[in-house]
Amino acid sequence: MPYQQKLVTMAGYTVLLITALIFAFLVQQSWPFIVEHVSLEFFTGDRWLPVSLPPVFQIRGFLVSSAMITALAIVVGVPFGVLAAVSLAELLPHGISVVFRSIFEVTAGIPSVVFGFLGLKLVAPAVADFFNLPTGLTGFSAGIVLSVMILPTLISLSEEALRNVPREYAEASYALGASRWQTIWRVVVPTARGGIAAAVLLGIGRAIGETMTVLMIAGGRLATPGSIFDPMRPITALIASEVNNAARFSVQYHALFTAGLMLFLITLAVNAVAASVIVGKKGR
Amino acid sequence: MKKIVMLVLVTALALVAIGCQPQKTTLDVTGSDTMVNLGAALAEEFMKTNRNIEVAVSGGGSGAGVAALIEGRTNIAQSSRDLRPEERARAAARGTLHEIIVGWDGLAVAVHPSNPVNELTLAQLGQIYRGEVRNWKELGGNDAPIVILSRDTTSGTFVFFREFVVQERGQKRDAEYHPDTMMMPSTEALYQEIARNPNAIGYVGLGFLRPTIKTVGIKADDASAAVLPSVESVLAKTYPLARPLYFFVVGELTGALKTYVDFVLSDKGQQVVRSLEFVPIR
């Protein structure tokens, strides 16, 4: 193997190793808590009293909050993202679609704290007024803002999947007398569905992991939310708000690492499914 | 003889060289977010006259400051709450623990300006935050749900308010904030939600009062008069919702550390405390 090839291979293994080390560190830091305190109640209870005596650590509320907000972001974001990708790849003239794409890419670069600020100032008050809620800082507001934040991921990956559909498929469709519209919806989009599914899964991963925005606008209520219109605190916001102040090697410190480990495992599972979708598509 | 003269000369030169080095001692001060601006202002004033001592102040919460003190990562922990028993034990295990009150802070209870409720007793506040009273109607206000806001679990204000109000100064030891309480990541976020939400109630430090939120008068009990939070009412000890602000130090109080603490407690230091809308110790 030439040395360049070796170098590239090594880089790949290094990234893998770093990920493995992060996982090992998470497990190591959460181990004292897992051994001593994790029981069924850790997952099923929703009392989180880190500075009480004795402290109580139960994470159901945070898990449910993360799931609710992510689900809303996907339900709202995916139709927009996929349709925008179709228009970029198939409908808009090349020049315009290049301009639009670079605008979406700029969106991807906006720091999440800016989205959080916009959510705080614009989305939350509007949500409170529109639905006549006691407060606008709810999972709904956070999910709406997140649906915008995952658009760049959804659009660029879906668009790539659509562009990778061989030109011959469309040409064959046109040759059979199909209109442009029929060709897009009956041939191009179904062929790209594996790639679009992968885009959606990576969007889910992005939404679950988002921290700053949900910390700022989800409302920070620790109980398990009864509906998406309740204030809530997803697991990322929990970790962000408390990890700085937990004394090292205290129970709270290890509990937060355990919450982080849960988050890591969930994201890993989502990304693994995404990867298998992508690999499966290639194998076909 | 010549050798000895040389030796003396070289030694003297070396000493002069050492003397010329700007020998700066650095003091790390960390902890309470409530006190971070106070700490920075004190440090700035102090360093004007003590150029050889550098005081670096950072925030993060009282818990973070105490944790840093216990781990030996800071010289002074600024804390807006007293130490918890296990923190006290862990700190004391490292050396003599010094507890210095450097000023007072009053917590103000604030609502939206349109809220007709003007005064609350400490007991009523406790009922609100324990979720026993859920509607403003029960307190003489509008027929609207009460939206309870609190600082995050790691804030010193959170702990102080829980012990003082939610647990009624330790009388209800098992009481906790109601699970519906919204934890705000910063005082700024809390203040903004109160300014915007007609149903909200929250607590903020005296330094954070602004005209866009309405401060509620606090009554120690049903019989006493409602007192609005102010420097005067805290100093006169008539305002019931006030707390001391602490410096915690572990080990010998000597050298730069002592110089700094003495400065903070001096008239000049206390003027700084006052200028930041906290209440001086005398």
Side-chain angles (χ1 to χ4, degrees):
Chain A
M1 218 192 291
Y3 78 96
Q4 294 99 327
Q5 212 170 326
K6 274 186 190 156
L7 219 62
V8 172
T9 317
M10 259 172 58
Y13 279 116
T14 309
V15 173
L16 198 70
L17 181 72
I18 290 171
T19 314
L21 283 176
I22 292 173
F23 180 68
F25 179 72
L26 274 177
V27 171
Q28 186 218 352
Q29 293 297 309
S30 34
W31 197 247
F33 183 82
I34 294 173
V35 172
E36 301 247 335
H37 300 272
V38 168
S39 61
L40 198 60
E41 281 83 51
F42 177 68
F43 299 100
T44 57
D46 67 350
R47 293 295 268 163
W48 181 269
L49 310 167
V51 291
S52 298
L53 294 172
V56 180
F57 302 99
Q58 297 168 345
I59 62 167
R60 185 183 67 186
F62 312 114
L63 291 174
V64 172
S65 301
S66 283
M68 276 188 177
I69 292 174
T70 304
L72 178 71
I74 292 299
V75 166
V76 176
V78 164
F80 280 105
V82 172
L83 293 180
V86 170
S87 71
L88 284 179
E90 303 292 331
L91 295 174
L92 293 172
H94 180 71
I96 294 178
S97 104
V98 168
V99 173
F100 278 18
R101 196 176 310 124
S102 42
I103 292 174
F104 288 132
E105 273 153 17
V106 170
T107 315
I110 297 175
S112 57
V113 65
V114 174
F115 277 106
F117 194 65
L118 289 175
L120 206 59
K121 288 289 178 190
L122 298 176
V123 180
V127 165
D129 291 345
F130 190 77
F131 294 100
N132 196 21
L133 300 172
T135 175
L137 301 176
T138 59
F140 187 82
S141 312
I144 293 295
V145 175
L146 270 193
S147 72
V148 176
M149 294 178 70
I150 62 172
L151 279 182
T153 309
L154 287 172
I155 292 173
S156 60
L157 292 174
S158 305
E159 195 200 345
E160 199 191 312
L162 291 166
R163 286 194 186 278
N164 283 341
V165 173
R167 215 62 243 169
E168 292 82 356
Y169 286 28
E171 278 160 13
S173 172
Y174 288 133
L176 288 170
S179 67
R180 191 179 185 193
W181 190 246
Q182 287 170 324
T183 304
I184 291 170
W185 290 110
R186 303 278 175 81
V187 178
V188 180
V189 172
T191 312
R193 66 179 182 272
I196 293 174
V200 171
L201 286 165
L202 290 174
I204 293 177
R206 169 102 172 79
I208 294 176
E210 174 49 39
T211 306
M212 196 60 204
T213 312
V214 291
L215 178 67
M216 288 170 77
I217 56 181
R221 180 170 159 274
L222 304 187
T224 305
S227 96
I228 190 78
F229 293 106
D230 282 339
M232 56 183 77
R233 167 157 285 181
I235 204 153
T236 45
L238 165 80
I239 297 170
S241 79
E242 294 194 1
V243 78
N244 270 335
N245 298 328
R248 275 176 85 185
F249 312 127
S250 66
V251 182
Q252 185 189 8
Y253 175 87
H254 294 302
L256 288 172
F257 267 99
T258 310
L261 183 65
M262 293 299 125
L263 190 66
F264 184 92
L265 291 176
I266 293 167
T267 320
L268 194 71
V270 172
N271 284 348
V273 175
S276 74
V277 168
I278 293 170
V279 171
K281 189 185 61 161
K282 284 210 179 117
R284 232 190 1 255
Chain B
M1 187 63 200
K2 223 178 180 181
K3 261 186 186 168
I4 292 170
V5 171
M6 271 304 270
L7 203 70
V8 169
L9 268 176
V10 168
T11 314
L13 246 164
L15 281 174
V16 168
I18 291 168
C20 287
Q21 292 283 324
Q23 269 211 315
K24 275 213 165 177
T25 321
T26 304
L27 285 181
D28 283 316
V29 180
T30 188
S32 165
D33 282 328
T34 311
M35 293 168 72
V36 68
N37 288 338
L38 172 66
L42 284 168
E44 200 180 315
E45 190 63 34
F46 175 74
M47 287 187 287
K48 278 182 193 165
T49 44
N50 295 269
R51 294 181 182 280
N52 55 337
I53 303 173
E54 191 161 309
V55 184
V57 182
S58 60
S62 299
V66 174
L69 185 74
I70 289 169
E71 287 161 24
R73 287 188 282 114
T74 188
N75 301 102
I76 296 173
Q78 301 195 120
S79 177
S80 53
R81 61 166 171 84
D82 200 353
L83 293 183
R84 296 200 291 268
E86 81 276 12
E87 287 171 339
R88 196 168 281 279
R90 286 180 68 187
R94 291 182 56 94
T96 321
L97 178 69
H98 299 272
E99 172 185 316
I100 305 140
I101 294 179
V102 298
W104 288 76
D105 184 18
L107 274 188
V109 174
V111 295
H112 192 268
S114 73
N115 195 323
V117 173
N118 289 321
E119 49 186 59
L120 292 168
T121 63
L122 278 179
Q124 281 175 324
L125 261 184
Q127 287 173 333
I128 293 173
Y129 273 85
R130 290 191 300 270
E132 292 158 16
V133 170
R134 305 301 300 271
N135 196 304
W136 282 111
K137 195 173 54 181
E138 296 171 63
L139 302 162
N142 303 321
D143 182 6
I146 302 178
V147 175
I148 330 166
L149 307 180
S150 161
R151 272 303 310 282
D152 241 321
T153 53
T154 43
S155 135
T157 331
F158 172 93
V159 177
F160 169 75
F161 194 83
R162 189 187 63 179
E163 285 166 10
F164 217 78
V165 175
V166 179
Q167 302 184 338
E168 308 203 337
R169 297 185 185 224
Q171 285 172 47
K172 301 190 177 209
R173 294 208 54 155
D174 295 328
E176 295 288 350
Y177 286 89
H178 191 269
D180 279 349
T181 307
M182 291 165 67
M183 304 296 170
M184 294 291 156
S186 66
T187 306
E188 190 60 30
L190 191 137
Y191 155 78
Q192 285 201 5
E193 180 66 6
I194 300 174
R196 207 200 57 70
N197 190 335
N199 307 324
I201 183 167
Y203 53 84
V204 290
L206 274 184
F208 288 94
L209 291 180
R210 302 179 198 177
T212 46
I213 57 177
K214 186 174 95 174
T215 313
V216 178
I218 301 295
K219 304 201 281 189
D221 50 54
D222 287 332
S224 46
V227 181
L228 281 169
S230 68
V231 172
E232 291 71 28
S233 65
V234 171
L235 263 189
K237 297 195 170 71
T238 54
Y239 184 67
L241 205 52
R243 62 173 176 185
L245 299 173
Y246 297 95
F247 273 10
F248 288 107
V249 177
V250 163
E252 291 291 296
L253 205 53
T254 51
L257 205 52
K258 183 170 168 33
T259 318
Y260 183 60
V261 169
D262 285 348
F263 164 79
V264 170
L265 299 177
S266 71
D267 284 346
K268 211 167 180 187
Q270 289 299 307
Q271 265 171 25
V272 177
V273 171
R274 185 165 205 137
S275 71
L276 282 157
E277 300 178 53
F278 291 107
V279 183
I281 50 173
R282 56 179 177 268

